[in-house]
Amino acid sequence: MAASVVILLGLSYGALQFGSTEQPVVPEEQETASLTTLGDVSPELKKVEDYYLASINLELSKIKLTPENKELFDGYLNKLEDLNKEYQKLTEVLTDNGPNALTLDALINNLKLRLNLLERLQDQIRALETESDNNATL
């Protein structure tokens, strides 16, 4: 029970760090133009971004990490990290070129893809648990 709580807290903290949009503090002499986010473009897009980031963090917090699903989880986490890097690059494009439909759509689709990826991970973990339960009853 205690191990489950520790894992849940760790995943929640990791989810918050993973979904964080805060930029690192840069000394004034090195400061460049701050990155534009969806929220900087319009309040409606900020709501969309916040919704997806909250949903992503919620899905991450629901995942029950076990030795049986750790490898599967790690694979999905690598994909999520790749998508997060892509999101950061798209944010740089948004900052450099200003808002346009293609960049905004790409940013929103990236968030959707991350959420869908986590939902698929949940489905696969449930399938593994069901398979494990079926094997245990035999």
Side-chain angles (χ1 to χ4, degrees):
M1 177 89 169
S4 297
V5 171
V6 170
I7 289 173
L8 181 60
L9 289 174
L11 286 174
S12 297
Y13 177 76
L16 289 173
Q17 293 299 317
F18 184 75
S20 176
T21 58
E22 292 181 15
Q23 299 300 318
V25 177
V26 179
E28 277 189 24
E29 64 268 10
Q30 295 178 357
E31 192 169 349
T32 59
S34 63
L35 292 177
T36 303
T37 65
L38 287 174
D40 295 331
V41 176
S42 80
E44 292 81 16
L45 289 174
K46 175 149 182 57
K47 287 179 184 178
V48 170
E49 183 180 43
D50 289 347
Y51 165 78
Y52 278 108
L53 291 175
S55 297
I56 289 166
N57 288 335
L58 178 63
E59 288 299 318
L60 273 172
S61 70
K62 288 180 182 177
I63 296 172
K64 296 175 187 169
L65 189 60
T66 65
E68 292 80 24
N69 67 22
K70 183 179 179 349
E71 187 176 330
L72 179 66
F73 178 78
D74 289 345
Y76 272 86
L77 196 57
N78 288 335
K79 292 176 187 177
L80 287 171
E81 288 173 8
D82 291 343
L83 287 170
N84 195 42
K85 288 176 188 174
E86 180 184 319
Y87 191 83
Q88 293 304 318
K89 288 179 186 176
L90 288 167
T91 301
E92 290 172 14
V93 170
L94 180 65
T95 301
D96 294 342
N97 302 336
N100 66 56
L102 289 176
T103 305
L104 296 176
D105 285 345
L107 284 163
I108 293 169
N109 285 333
N110 179 288
L111 292 169
K112 285 180 186 177
L113 184 56
R114 284 193 263 174
L115 183 56
N116 289 337
L117 200 61
L118 286 170
E119 289 169 349
R120 278 189 281 168
L121 173 59
Q122 285 282 27
D123 291 343
Q124 287 190 341
I125 288 174
R126 277 190 220 101
L128 276 175
E129 289 171 351
T130 302
E131 181 180 314
S132 178
D133 291 344
N134 288 341
N135 288 339
T137 59
L138 294 178

